[in-house]
Amino acid sequence: MTTNQQLWERREAAVPRGVSSMHQRFFAKGANAVIFDAEGQRYIDLATGIAVCNTGHGDPRIIEAVKRQLDLFSHCSFQVTPYESYVALAEQLNAIAPIDGPAKTIFFTTGAEALENAVKIARAHTGRRGIVTFQGGYHGRTLLTLAMTGKVMPYKAKFGPMPTDVFHTRFPIAYHGFSDEEAIEGLKALFASSIEPSAVAAIVLEPVLGEGGFYTASYAFFKALREICDEHGILLIADEVQSGFARTGRIFAMDWVREANGVTPDLLTVAKAMAGGFPISGVIGRADIMDAPDPGGLGGTYGGSPLGCVAGLEVLKIIDEDDLCERAVSIGDRIKARLRSLQQNGLGFIGDVRGPGAMIAVEIVKDRDPNAPNPVLTKAIVQAAADQGLLMLSCGLRGNVIRFLPALTAPDDIIDEAMDRLEAVLTRIHLA
Ligand SMILES: Cc1ncc(COP(=O)(O)O)c(C=O)c1O
């Protein structure tokens, strides 16, 4: 048997250190919510390939659909000869996305590419240059999306100069003492100090900050942003790359906002979980805006790969058939209840426990103090949990957030087993 250690040594020799891996364990096989490493060690997967496998590993419905497509063709490029699955997936997303009026959808391959193209579409529609994003936001690693990302280490350092005309403002995080009102004042100050609102093409934000730490923008904040956008002719772009496809208890996190106060974005970016692990991304938006770029202005050789399209159609069916939105809420409630009970039982390093649906985060702090993040302990918990067969990810601007992103197809006994293991790890650390 080749060990994880042997593979790690080969990895270090062959692959640059710039692409880091959170765990020194080589993934060998997955089965729904569980995975196995190269040594046959079993883990409950709370990372799902960074919020991709919402439908679990190896769902036979997705595998069958992709196999059927593989027997026909794997690639032809939509730009050369279109195919029906692309159009069918666009039609379905247009019908369900929280967009006001008729919608259109275009597909790409990665989340960053979706964001890049959302900016191109917004600029073509408005004839404006400026893009406003949020500190702590994450939009990708290509140079434009890196400029939009609001975290320097490890993403932006050494990679400048950044594309211009991207401006950052602060995201409202009540837990850190920064309110919606202060965030709106900050945006207005940006308009006074850095770019006039009439030159801003779009404000781009994640409804729930992903890499930034799973902080949710309030309905009231979205309403205020929508009003500002409407007043100044600015487009509102919701980046749902991490929050989409049932993760938050709705197909899109913006569905919650629309239900609460009718606010919708003009464009919505999607990727990750939309095809259960097959690389595809997209921009869904108001038809009049989506048609702004000229023919040939958008695309890419692999954009909307037929394998991604058939997998995407299957994912939408599974979300519906298996009630994954409802399941996300139920799984999330189960995890949050366990974390809150540990918090109440005296584990003072458990700070805020939060998140919609099954997009759950716990903030690791010193002595319950929101202003005393503990990134060292956070890292130690993630590593200790892996030793106990639990695969988790950390995140957050301050590196002190642990995120829970289980498969939405995980049965209750797997979620309970995961939380039992985590409880054992946390209790041991508490008592040490
Ligand atoms: C909210 C958000 N936007 C964009 C991206 C970039 O997606 P990708 O890594 O597929 O380029 C990510 C990736 O984590 C993300 O979480």
Side-chain angles (χ1 to χ4, degrees):
M1 178 183 66
T2 314
T3 64
N4 286 315
Q5 181 58 32
Q6 286 166 332
L7 289 169
W8 189 259
E9 283 161 19
R10 280 173 53 197
R11 179 214 197 276
E12 285 200 305
V15 180
R17 63 192 188 124
V19 55
S20 59
S21 302
M22 196 164 278
H23 297 281
Q24 296 192 6
R25 298 157 202 267
F26 278 74
F27 193 132
K29 199 175 104 184
N32 195 12
V34 164
I35 63 177
F36 297 87
D37 72 13
E39 298 173 10
Q41 168 84 34
R42 172 181 175 273
Y43 303 84
I44 297 174
D45 184 11
L46 298 180
T48 45
I50 325 183
V52 168
C53 300
N54 289 7
T55 42
H57 294 284
D59 188 297
R61 292 165 289 187
I62 298 176
I63 291 177
E64 278 313 309
V66 171
K67 276 186 180 164
R68 274 196 304 274
Q69 179 60 44
L70 272 174
D71 283 339
L72 299 172
F73 61 96
S74 58
H75 176 73
C76 61
S77 190
F78 192 75
Q79 287 167 239
V80 179
T81 45
Y83 34 92
E84 185 179 348
S85 55
Y86 188 120
V87 179
L89 184 58
E91 286 169 344
Q92 291 202 18
L93 291 171
N94 294 339
I96 60 174
I99 296 288
D100 228 8
K104 286 193 172 183
T105 295
I106 181 168
F107 296 116
F108 303 98
T109 308
T110 66
E113 231 189 320
L115 267 298
E116 291 256 352
N117 281 280
V119 169
K120 283 168 66 178
I121 294 165
R123 284 182 171 163
H125 175 76
T126 59
R128 301 174 178 187
R129 61 188 169 88
I131 299 297
V132 174
T133 64
F134 287 82
Q135 291 173 20
Y138 181 87
H139 302 289
R141 292 175 184 270
T142 57
L143 273 172
L144 176 61
T145 57
L146 206 48
M148 294 164 68
T149 287
K151 186 176 179 188
V152 170
M153 286 304 291
Y155 306 124
K156 298 168 87 145
K158 294 189 180 178
F159 296 133
M162 294 290 153
T164 54
D165 294 319
V166 176
F167 303 86
H168 291 95
T169 190
R170 217 173 136 188
F171 194 87
I173 300 177
Y175 182 63
H176 294 174
F178 194 67
S179 67
D180 287 354
E181 293 72 26
E182 287 168 306
I184 292 297
E185 282 315 308
L187 179 61
K188 289 182 178 163
L190 183 83
F191 289 158
S193 67
S194 304
I195 183 166
E196 66 278 26
S198 59
V200 176
I203 295 176
V204 186
L205 81 162
E206 297 158 83
V208 186
L209 284 191
E211 302 300 307
F214 288 18
Y215 304 99
T216 304
S218 73
Y219 303 146
F221 186 64
F222 265 108
K223 193 163 194 317
L225 278 187
R226 185 71 265 178
E227 283 166 7
I228 289 172
C229 286
D230 292 345
E231 182 187 345
H232 297 290
I234 298 170
L235 300 184
L236 185 60
I237 302 181
D239 180 354
E240 294 245 22
V241 166
Q242 191 152 162
S243 55
F245 298 94
R247 173 56 60 190
T248 68
R250 290 289 184 271
I251 299 212
F252 299 108
M254 289 307 295
D255 288 325
W256 290 112
V257 183
R258 177 163 70 172
E259 281 170 33
N261 58 19
V263 167
T264 53
D266 298 298
L267 302 178
L268 206 140
T269 52
V270 290
K272 288 194 187 272
M274 72 182 283
F278 290 87
I280 185 169
S281 65
V283 182
I284 311 167
R286 274 176 37 202
D288 58 320
I289 299 171
M290 294 293 289
D291 274 331
D294 291 324
L298 302 175
T301 304
Y302 286 113
S305 141
L307 302 178
C309 288
V310 295
L313 286 165
E314 217 52 41
V315 163
L316 289 177
K317 234 190 278 170
I318 293 171
I319 289 175
D320 186 41
E321 279 173 15
D322 293 6
D323 280 334
L324 290 190
C325 288
E326 220 174 278
R327 187 69 196 134
V329 172
S330 145
I331 288 175
D333 287 348
R334 212 171 178 90
I335 293 175
K336 280 187 279 196
R338 289 289 295 268
L339 290 169
R340 289 195 174 124
S341 107
L342 286 172
Q343 188 184 44
Q344 280 150 18
N345 287 341
L347 271 62
F349 54 80
I350 298 189
D352 197 26
V353 173
R354 59 172 173 266
M359 193 165 178
I360 307 296
V362 57
E363 195 138 341
I364 305 299
V365 296
K366 295 175 190 155
D367 298 330
R368 299 175 202 281
D369 180 356
N371 297 316
N374 196 339
V376 174
L377 182 58
T378 305
K379 215 170 168 183
I381 292 171
V382 170
Q383 291 309 327
D387 289 339
Q388 296 308 312
L390 253 195
L391 211 72
M392 301 198 301
L393 297 170
S394 60
C395 66
L397 254 177
R398 311 184 300 183
N400 70 320
V401 176
I402 296 176
R403 48 183 158 171
F404 297 73
L405 291 164
L408 307 179
T409 45
D412 281 346
D413 60 328
I414 288 284
I415 298 295
D416 291 344
E417 185 188 342
M419 296 313 290
D420 290 345
R421 288 176 185 219
L422 183 65
E423 183 171 328
V425 168
L426 296 179
T427 307
R428 207 170 43 243
I429 287 172
H430 173 64
L431 295 175

